[in-house]
Amino acid sequence: MENQVSQLPFSQRVTSLPVLGLGVSTEYGAPAVPGALDPRALADAHPDFGAFLEIGVEVAKGLDAASEAWLADGRPSTYHFLDINLDDPDDFDPPWLAGMKALVARTRPAWICGDAGLWHFGPRDRGHMLLLPPILSTASADAMATGIRTLRMAMAREVLPENPPGQVFVGPLHMLEFFARLADTADTGILLDLAHLAIFQRLRGHDPLTAFADFPWERVVELHVAGGKLKDHKGLSWVDDDHGLEVLADTWLLLDEVLDRAPNLRAIVFECERNPLAATIDGFKRIAAAAAHHRLLGAQMKGASIVGTEVAR
Amino acid sequence: MSTRALHALTVRMLGDAAFRAAVYADPDRALADEPISPEERRWFVAVDRRAWDIDPLRNARLLTALLDEYRITAIALAQAGWKLRQLHDFFASPACHRAITAWESLFMALPDYLRSKLHARREAASLAMLAIEEAIAKVRRAAFDTRPLPPPNHLRLAPTAAVALVPGGALALWEAQHQALLRAGHAAPAIVAHLLGDSRRPPGTPRLPPFSTRGLTLDAPEGLLVVAPPGAEPAIATVGEGLVAWLKAATDAIPYEAFLTHAIDAGLERHEAIEIMEELLGEGTLLSGG
């Protein structure tokens, strides 16, 4: 499953990345919350919906029991960092790099991914974690690209930046313009979070498909789909990225549009980890049905969408 | 342009409504001293103003997290009649803005802010608890001190060491409350929040011993040396006032001779000062540039 990072261009490196299919995400302690989804129970009952686990990791915390159990089963995973400001060279301190290296060695992920934004202000200290969007400028994209290259070489794994959620977006670029430049400069693939993109488009007053025309869709390796709640603040309509079960219509539209455009797409995560398993199945089914025609994902999705809870091959 | 400068401004505007208002009113004036271009100033005011305070509980959550490390200071403040809501202006304080701009931990900015608000004699107990917990917070964060070693023939107080001068009896008072909070376990933060008027007292949680300041003697201070052995909780020892003053002189790199002169001026013989200095170097309390 490992993709040994080399001097090859991304267009060639991507061909050796595995097709993971449809999976679910987790963070430290999430499965232990009453009523929350158990990834192994999902994978056992619905193998095509729990084909892999995206593990959210802070180096300081490490892996929880649920993630350890998943890995002990030999099941596929991806590593989603929660604690590196990619645009800040000082954030790549030796102890943190060593810690992440050890965790990557334990998880053996298909790739590394994570929000390309501000995970923490100041040092990695308690209470300083906040996740803000990146500064949407060319200089910021270039600084972040350097960080991606650094991390990719250090970890010998692809590092896919993800567009973060937010309400405050500072800078002149559209999020997709920023990521296009970032991906090109870093020569990397992308994790496109469709819920976060829908949030951005709505907040900036754009149509959901604004800036689609010039985006490098061949770099999209992974998608996220998640629920969100529409809220109002002093007349400003905004979306709470709550990972609930109500996926916005804009997000579903984006899923259909991106599936038609992204030839190298290899994985989709339904971020529903906070919800009871039974309540998530309809969401998984809808994603599987949408992806059934994709040239890479389709073979894995077809079985799940047709049969539903009974997976036949 | 530095993305860090732009991120820092974003964080400051999220936390400080008055600063935010000043930026929107006149970005060139409000951001004149910031290392960003006029074009970058416009980026901030291009954001819908309402987006900045969508999360009204952000400051309260962060303040609670900060006070969780200054628990006994919080207890002392509560005893003196302070409420949590009175501390929310921390995010508008120069100490907070300075820390964010310098990309430093807010746990080390909180003491400066509290000292600016507390009266030296009336709130001596709160200030004493603050001094102890500030020293502990500093040594816990030794890894954040990325300064290079001192230059040759200089030395400096190690990041794993801190000193404080507090009223006599302050350490005993702190210890009693600290032990009680340890026994309270996971309920400790909720107890402290309740005392500051922020929430109900958790049912079934133990009461803390009385926070009595009667035993404090302002005119007979005691010196404290806090050190953080690798992988262990910080340890606190009582030391002489003279040693506290002496080590404080080495907060920044100081030449050996100047360091020794402090001790000699305080009454030590030169050979005694050298012996103590070498002992402190050997223990790792002082760092040497060789």
Side-chain angles (χ1 to χ4, degrees), chain A residues 45-110:
Chain A
H46 307 277
D48 287 341
F49 297 162
F52 73 100
L53 181 65
E54 182 143 295
I55 307 175
V57 188
E58 278 180 75
V59 169
K61 284 183 176 173
L63 304 175
D64 64 8
S67 297
E68 296 277 19
W70 178 278
L71 296 168
D73 289 345
R75 304 183 201 245
S77 73
T78 55
Y79 181 118
H80 186 296
F81 56 75
L82 302 174
D83 55 0
I84 180 73
N85 298 336
L86 289 169
D87 62 352
D88 186 352
D90 290 344
D91 215 32
F92 291 76
D93 59 88
W96 180 85
L97 279 168
M100 182 171 176
K101 222 175 220 180
L103 286 163
V104 168
R106 270 169 65 193
T107 52
R108 296 176 60 82

Side-chain angles (χ1 to χ4, degrees), chain B residues 157 161-164 223-227 235-239 243 247 280 283 285:
Chain B
L157 188 62
V163 289
L224 303 178
L225 172 62
V226 182
V227 294
I236 308 175
T238 52
V239 297
L243 183 59
L247 290 176
L280 292 169
E283 289 168 355
T285 303

Side-chain angles (χ1 to χ4, degrees), chain A residues 87-88 90 118 121-128 132 135 137 139-140 167-169 172 233-236 238, chain B residues 1 3-4 6-7 10-11 14 43 47-48 50-54 62 68-69 103-107 141 144:
Chain A
D87 62 352
D88 186 352
D90 290 344
L118 187 75
F121 71 91
R124 288 187 184 88
D125 208 345
R126 289 192 303 144
H128 287 57
L132 291 179
I135 301 298
S137 70
S140 168
Q167 287 86 45
V168 171
F169 295 93
H233 175 67
K234 299 176 183 176
L236 174 70
W238 65 285
Chain B
M1 187 280 294
T3 54
R4 185 181 279 191
L6 294 166
H7 283 312
T10 305
V11 174
L14 281 168
W43 294 352
V47 176
D48 189 307
R50 296 167 293 181
W52 293 94
D53 62 356
I54 273 175
L62 183 48
D68 190 50
E69 192 146 338
W103 218 241
E104 290 170 354
S105 172
L106 291 185
F107 284 96
R141 288 167 175 78
F144 295 162

Side-chain angles (χ1 to χ4, degrees), chain A residues 166-169 198-206 236-238, chain B residues 51:
Chain A
Q167 287 86 45
V168 171
F169 295 93
I199 288 172
F200 175 84
Q201 301 283 40
R202 178 181 284 264
L203 211 58
R204 281 261 177 116
H206 294 313
L236 174 70
S237 174
W238 65 285

Side-chain angles (χ1 to χ4, degrees), chain B residues 18 22 96 140 156 166 183 212:
Chain B
C96 181
R140 277 202 179 122
R156 190 179 70 225
V166 296
R183 287 191 294 273
S212 171

